[in-house]
Amino acid sequence: MSTGIYSIREGHNGLWAIWSGDLVISAGLRLGQAIKLARLLAREHREGHGIEPKVELVSCGHTIDVTPST
């Protein structure tokens, strides 16, 4: 089973964006919105594509795992 990673990163404007690799999935989000959307995307990929995704919050040089539990 393959693994995908969604990264939630803070932009220069203080808002957050969801990235998959070098592709921006969604931008201009508040942090809570970004986490909820990234977790939803991860669940959909797990159910639809057999991909076991990971969701990471990346800020100030730190990475926090916020992957939804199964």
Side-chain angles (χ1 to χ4, degrees):
M1 187 174 289
S2 61
T3 302
I5 297 178
Y6 293 102
S7 295
I8 303 168
R9 302 179 196 165
E10 189 173 11
H12 298 291
N13 58 3
L15 296 175
W16 297 80
I18 301 170
W19 292 73
S20 180
D22 60 355
L23 177 66
V24 176
I25 303 292
S26 185
L29 303 169
R30 292 188 315 263
L31 180 57
Q33 293 174 317
I35 291 171
K36 287 179 184 178
L37 181 55
R39 286 178 166 180
L40 175 66
L41 291 169
R43 285 187 190 108
E44 286 181 359
H45 274 258
R46 181 175 46 232
E47 293 170 1
H49 302 291
I51 296 172
E52 195 60 43
K54 184 174 182 178
V55 180
E56 299 177 335
L57 174 63
V58 180
S59 181
C60 300
H62 299 282
T63 302
I64 302 167
D65 184 2
V66 291
T67 303
S69 57
T70 55

